[in-house]
Amino acid sequence: MNFDFSKTYPLLPLRDAVVFPHTTRRILVGREMSLRALEFAENHNNVIILVAQKDVSVEEIQNPMLDLYSVGVIANVNGVTPFPNGCVKAVLEGVQIVDLRSIMTVDGFLQVTVSPRKFPVKENAKTDSFDEVMTRFRDYATKRNIAEGMVDAFFGMESQLNAYYGIIPFLQVSLAEKQSFLEARSLDEMSAKLLALMDVTDDNENVLVRIQQSVRQKMAQQQKEWFISEQIRQLQDELDGDGEGASEPEQLLKKIKAKKFSPAIVEKLEDEIARMKLMQPTSPEYAVSRNYIDWFLAMPYGEYTDTVLNMKKVKGELDSKHFGLDKVKERIMEYIAVLKLTGTERRSPILCLVGPPGVGKTTLVESIANAMQRNFVRITLGGVRDEAEIRGHRRTYIGAMPGRFIQALRRAKCMNPIILLDEIDKMASDFRGDPASAMLEVLDPEQNHDFTDHFMEVGLDLSRVLFIATANSESEIPEALRDRLEIVRLPGYYPHEKLQIASKYLVPRICERTGVKLGEQVSFDEDIINQVMRGWTREAGVRELERTLESAVRHRAKEIVMGKKIKPAVTEKQLQEYLGAPRFLDSQLPEPGRPGVVTGLAWTSVGGEILPIECMLLSGKGQIIMTGKLGDVMKESAQIAVSLVRERLHRFGIDPAIVKKTDIHIHVPEGAVPKDGPSAGIALTLCLLSAFTKIPVPPDVAFTGEVSLTGACLAIGGLNEKALAALQAGVKTLRLPAQNKKDVDELPAPAKKGLKIYTHKHIDEIVKILFVQKKAKKLVA
């Protein structure tokens, strides 16, 4: 049929089909634009142009040149069948491939001008690749049950092109790939595309076949294993002998009955065994249930160790490994005495040893466990953020585990061990929960007899466990948790105590670790140990002292191995060779004779510290400048101190109005260390008064205590640590509030002997001692 390519023809956009020449397609038409184009074609020689849409999801074509492909087919409309819903079914026969030249919208449908697409090969020609393509297609058709007669019909076609157009619908081809066949310029190009498509399809189907075969093999293997195991189980049931050949669930059930479980636990485990019998042994659920039962069987239910409560033995154990700490040892002895009289750990208080690092909190608990001959387990709580670490994970996934207390009892192999809760103040909380709140049930004597772990899902009796906690800072322990603990404070060691500890404990232990013979190859006299403490360590405990002494012994070990001839005693010169120059000066005190500088005292979680306070007066407008990273409470103490000084300046012949013309700069070194608290109130007041009166305060006199706006001296805490820091820094006199007199009585004898300690009820008592006051001048009217 000849077409007039100078005319315009109606255009029918196809959303999910490509029509090839010499093929017939039935197309369902429903869009208004398409229905009008079809109606126009029926009224004008039944000729229409068919073009595929690039995006099948587009409902309304806004830009035909962009939304449609540029190559289509001239088709004849061989029949139209209407449907009740307004759609029609059109029978369309492709005739010739054309290129679209221009598209316009006329009367609500698209009209187009086209030109014939040039094809360099004659329509009835055949290439060398035809036989290869048809042979491959025959194999392809055989595997997919395509009728043999259909394949023979394609072989018998005179036109290779028509044969290819007939093959394409039988292949798994996308819309874009079909369009590429329509746009192909040569038979060789189409042959290559067809061969590639059949290769990809074969590869995909081969992979699918391999997967199906593998799945069938695994299923057959599992069925075989289940069949064999079921036969074995049935034979074992028939034998009904001693049970040695019983199935795994039956063996577990016998182990459960042999343990001393409560009826609730037995019922829970029997239900789990019943579920296991219905599972495949190779299934993940079976492994989860088996792991759950194994945890119960590993727990030491009903197993308790005999406790030795010999008071002399406990005291000897504590004294042999710890020097000093008399109050702490006394409290532990009281605790053990109550245990001996009551015979039970129930309702016993939970001790919490609070003190700076290196004072022996952990080793104290180990000594208690050794003396009582109880199994000892340590749980480190520093950095624990997840509540599941305490209560366990729920059994919703394969990697679930019980909490740390269940694991600790399993390691202890008894239900009444001593459990050390180390660094209880270092627990944190985040989106995974608050582990400190989960600890409340564990440490509450009223509740821990029925502690519930999420993994175990049944109550667990922790009332026979002896819990002892340690912490560095009492203030960091959550209030609700602190309420369940009895705080036992461990102060830092005094110089004389460190000397005894180093001589009796540290040096012998270091020599044992390093292989150096004490007395024959190395020895430290008291003066050398004192120099190490003053020049290379500055701490409340003895951990750094031990490291420093060990460094010196290691140097001595190197000299021994190298064959040097040396005397055992370490000299001052050798000490500096081993350790380098001293890191600390003998005294931290300010220089004497400088007004506006006072020695204060501070408490930290690692012990006491000297707190020098400096004040400088500048001409200005009465501003108060405070530096040294001070907290809000300390800034308020400074403001109170300014008010107290203004009220007392007239006693020294100074006009109080001078404060309005003076800028006061208060600095507390070191500037990078945060400082807060009210206990520097007395020192701040005296520092300001010294600056205004130009009267220096002796630096070997230290002050600590809060001061009220009326001048009353109020009590402070941490006196042991502060007194220790003062003694080490070279302070001779200590002045503090009268309310702390009870704490002074509890200071050890060396502190009382090395320090002159005075208590005062009012700030004016200290002012009269340190400052010479002048009579106020009478004002003449």
Side-chain angles (χ1 to χ4, degrees):
M1 180 182 291
N2 295 323
F3 293 94
D4 186 357
F5 290 102
S6 63
K7 293 182 178 181
T8 60
Y9 294 95
L11 186 147
L12 177 61
L14 302 179
R15 298 178 68 177
D16 55 357
V18 174
V19 178
F20 295 99
H22 309 293
T23 61
T24 301
R25 289 290 301 269
R26 289 171 174 80
I27 303 295
L28 189 65
V29 180
R31 289 186 285 188
E32 182 65 27
M33 173 179 62
S34 301
L35 291 172
R36 290 189 180 184
L38 199 58
E39 183 182 357
F40 183 87
E42 285 184 287
N43 297 331
H44 297 80
N45 301 324
N46 289 323
V47 177
I48 196 167
I49 307 298
L50 306 178
V51 181
Q53 288 183 204
K54 294 179 180 179
D55 187 354
V56 296
S57 64
V58 174
E59 181 69 26
E60 296 183 4
I61 298 175
Q62 302 293 335
N63 191 336
M65 295 303 292
L66 295 177
D67 294 341
L68 301 175
Y69 287 104
S70 61
V71 178
V73 175
I74 295 178
N76 289 326
V77 182
N78 292 340
V80 176
T81 303
F83 287 97
N85 61 358
C87 298
V88 298
K89 182 173 70 175
V91 180
L92 305 172
E93 180 186 1
V95 179
Q96 182 179 352
I97 302 174
V98 293
D99 289 320
L100 277 61
R101 290 189 298 174
S102 64
I103 304 175
M104 63 195 75
T105 303
V106 179
D107 296 332
F109 66 94
L110 299 176
Q111 293 191 11
V112 62
T113 59
V114 297
S115 60
R117 188 169 180 80
K118 295 179 181 180
F119 203 81
V121 181
K122 293 182 180 180
E123 187 173 342
N124 294 331
K126 291 185 178 180
T127 63
D128 295 337
S129 60
F130 178 68
D131 290 337
E132 182 184 359
V133 173
M134 297 310 295
T135 303
R136 287 289 304 277
F137 181 68
R138 185 181 293 279
D139 296 337
Y140 181 89
T142 302
K143 294 178 182 178
R144 291 156 185 82
N145 298 323
I146 299 174
E148 184 69 23
M150 184 71 69
V151 179
D152 293 338
F154 292 144
F155 265 100
M157 286 185 177
E158 296 181 357
S159 172
Q160 179 178 348
L161 189 61
N162 291 342
Y164 283 176
Y165 287 152
I167 289 173
I168 291 170
F170 292 96
L171 304 178
Q172 298 176 0
V173 185
S174 66
L175 185 66
E177 288 171 333
K178 290 178 181 179
Q179 181 68 26
S180 70
F181 280 107
L182 196 64
E183 297 177 1
R185 290 285 187 178
S186 68
L187 290 173
D188 289 334
E189 182 183 346
M190 294 182 70
S191 299
K193 287 180 179 292
L194 287 171
L195 290 172
L197 277 172
M198 286 187 281
D199 286 340
V200 171
T201 304
D202 285 342
D203 289 343
N204 292 341
E205 291 189 354
N206 289 337
V207 171
L208 184 61
V209 168
R210 287 200 304 272
I211 293 173
Q212 290 174 345
Q213 289 177 347
S214 177
V215 171
R216 282 196 294 268
Q217 289 174 358
K218 287 184 178 179
M219 290 179 63
Q221 181 67 22
Q222 288 180 355
Q223 289 176 352
K224 178 182 177 182
E225 291 175 357
W226 179 84
F227 184 74
I228 294 173
S229 63
E230 187 65 18
Q231 283 184 324
I232 294 172
R233 190 182 69 80
Q234 293 290 344
L235 290 171
Q236 289 167 348
D237 291 344
E238 287 293 329
L239 289 173
D240 196 20
D242 55 3
E244 291 181 0
S247 63
E248 186 177 48
E250 294 295 335
Q251 291 178 0
L252 292 174
L253 189 59
K254 289 186 177 182
K255 290 180 181 179
I256 290 168
K257 291 180 179 179
K259 298 280 282 186
K260 300 175 183 179
F261 290 130
S262 65
I265 296 177
V266 172
E267 182 181 356
K268 177 75 175 174
L269 296 182
E270 286 179 346
D271 291 342
E272 201 69 28
I273 293 288
R275 290 180 65 245
M276 286 179 66
K277 290 180 178 179
L278 302 176
M279 300 177 192
Q280 290 281 353
T282 56
S283 67
E285 291 83 1
Y286 187 93
V288 171
S289 294
R290 174 62 194 267
N291 180 49
Y292 179 66
I293 294 172
D294 284 345
W295 269 102
F296 274 97
L297 293 175
M299 290 293 292
Y301 279 95
E303 297 180 16
Y304 298 91
T305 57
D306 295 330
T307 303
V308 177
L309 297 175
N310 187 322
M311 300 295 287
K312 292 183 179 179
K313 183 176 181 180
V314 174
K315 189 175 188 309
E317 181 75 21
L318 294 176
D319 289 339
S320 66
K321 295 185 179 179
H322 300 84
F323 183 83
L325 304 176
D326 295 331
K327 289 189 63 177
V328 178
K329 291 177 182 178
E330 183 181 350
R331 179 63 189 91
I332 292 172
M333 295 293 291
E334 293 171 0
Y335 184 80
I336 294 173
V338 172
L339 285 181
K340 186 169 184 177
L341 291 177
T342 58
T344 178
E345 296 85 355
R346 287 188 172 92
R347 301 186 181 279
S348 296
I350 310 297
L351 296 182
C352 181
L353 307 181
V354 177
V359 296
K361 300 184 293 296
T362 303
T363 53
L364 261 175
V365 183
E366 292 178 357
S367 298
I368 296 171
N370 291 336
M372 297 175 66
Q373 295 184 10
R374 293 270 285 265
N375 295 351
F376 173 73
V377 182
R378 179 180 177 217
I379 297 178
T380 304
L381 298 174
V384 172
R385 295 175 175 270
D386 191 352
E387 182 186 349
E389 292 283 334
I390 307 300
R391 286 194 172 275
H393 301 262
R394 298 188 186 277
R395 286 195 304 139
T396 54
Y397 55 92
I398 293 177
M401 291 183 64
R404 294 199 178 192
F405 289 95
I406 303 297
Q407 298 178 38
L409 290 176
R410 182 177 179 176
R411 294 200 307 271
K413 299 180 181 180
C414 69
M415 297 297 288
N416 63 336
I418 292 180
I419 294 182
L420 169 62
L421 305 175
D422 208 9
E423 309 291 355
I424 199 171
D425 58 328
K426 303 297 190 304
M427 286 190 296
S429 61
D430 61 7
F431 65 93
R432 289 166 289 189
D434 183 6
S437 298
M439 291 287 292
L440 299 178
E441 183 182 359
V442 177
L443 299 182
D444 193 339
E446 300 289 340
Q447 302 180 44
N448 63 10
H449 65 278
D450 191 28
F451 171 70
T452 303
D453 185 275
H454 289 158
F455 180 85
M456 309 297 279
E457 297 178 349
V458 291
L460 186 72
D461 186 8
L462 298 180
S463 62
R464 299 287 301 276
V465 177
L466 191 61
F467 292 105
I468 301 179
T470 68
N472 293 132
S473 175
E474 181 182 348
S475 61
E476 298 295 328
I477 305 173
E479 185 176 352
L481 189 57
R482 188 167 65 246
D483 183 60
R484 287 160 170 79
L485 303 173
E486 180 179 336
I487 305 298
V488 179
R489 295 176 180 82
L490 278 73
Y493 292 112
Y494 288 92
H496 75 284
E497 293 176 325
K498 288 185 180 182
L499 181 62
Q500 295 294 326
I501 292 170
S503 301
K504 296 181 179 179
Y505 302 97
L506 301 185
V507 173
R509 192 162 63 192
I510 291 169
C511 290
E512 184 180 351
R513 284 202 301 261
T514 56
V516 178
K517 296 179 181 179
L518 180 62
E520 296 180 18
Q521 296 174 325
V522 69
S523 65
F524 296 87
D525 59 26
E526 292 186 358
D527 291 338
I528 293 297
I529 294 176
N530 279 323
Q531 286 186 33
V532 173
M533 288 191 294
R534 289 196 307 268
W536 284 272
T537 65
R538 194 63 57 84
E539 58 177 342
V542 293
R543 194 169 287 153
E544 184 64 27
L545 177 60
E546 182 176 9
R547 282 194 288 262
T548 306
L549 290 172
E550 187 171 359
S551 177
V553 175
R554 285 199 304 269
H555 279 79
R556 176 56 61 89
K558 182 182 71 174
E559 292 177 346
I560 293 170
V561 173
M562 293 176 67
K564 291 186 178 181
K565 293 183 179 180
I566 48 176
K567 294 181 180 180
V570 177
T571 64
E572 183 176 350
K573 182 179 179 181
Q574 288 174 333
L575 191 65
Q576 295 208 12
E577 291 176 1
Y578 294 161
L579 304 179
R583 290 184 291 169
F584 302 102
L585 300 175
D586 286 340
S587 176
Q588 298 172 281
L589 301 179
E591 296 180 6
R594 295 181 59 184
V597 179
V598 168
T599 303
L601 297 173
W603 179 91
T604 69
S605 60
V606 295
E609 290 286 345
I610 290 294
L611 191 72
I613 299 176
E614 303 171 352
C615 176
M616 181 177 288
L617 305 181
L618 306 167
S619 178
K621 299 180 180 179
Q623 293 184 353
I624 302 175
I625 305 167
M626 286 177 279
T627 56
K629 212 168 184 180
L630 309 183
D632 292 337
V633 177
M634 198 163 183
K635 290 178 180 178
E636 291 174 358
S637 297
Q639 292 171 349
I640 292 173
V642 172
S643 298
L644 288 171
V645 169
R646 284 184 63 182
E647 199 272 335
R648 285 160 176 76
L649 282 180
H650 68 278
R651 304 179 188 178
F652 300 91
I654 301 172
D655 186 0
I658 194 174
V659 177
K660 295 182 179 180
K661 303 175 184 178
T662 305
D663 287 345
I664 303 172
H665 188 166
I666 299 172
H667 178 65
V668 184
E670 299 171 356
V673 180
K675 310 167 193 72
D676 203 4
S679 61
I682 293 176
L684 284 166
T685 304
L686 299 175
C687 179
L688 287 171
L689 201 56
S690 171
F692 275 103
T693 60
K694 304 290 193 261
I695 301 174
V697 175
D700 59 354
V701 180
F703 307 90
T704 182
E706 182 181 356
V707 64
S708 71
L709 194 58
T710 60
C713 297
L714 306 179
I716 46 85
L719 183 59
N720 271 348
E721 290 83 355
K722 292 177 179 180
L724 169 61
L727 197 62
Q728 289 178 333
V731 171
K732 300 291 192 300
T733 304
L734 183 60
R735 298 187 181 274
L736 48 129
Q739 295 177 6
N740 285 109
K741 191 170 184 180
K742 61 183 186 303
D743 302 315
V744 175
D745 296 336
E746 296 178 359
L747 290 176
K752 295 178 183 178
K753 184 178 179 181
L755 293 171
K756 294 180 180 179
I757 302 174
Y758 301 96
T759 59
H760 306 278
K761 293 182 179 180
H762 200 276
I763 190 69
D764 288 338
E765 297 177 14
I766 307 175
V767 171
K768 289 179 180 178
I769 296 170
L770 297 178
F771 301 97
V772 179
Q773 301 182 26
K774 300 179 181 179
K775 293 184 179 180
K777 297 180 181 179
K778 294 183 179 180
L779 298 177
V780 180

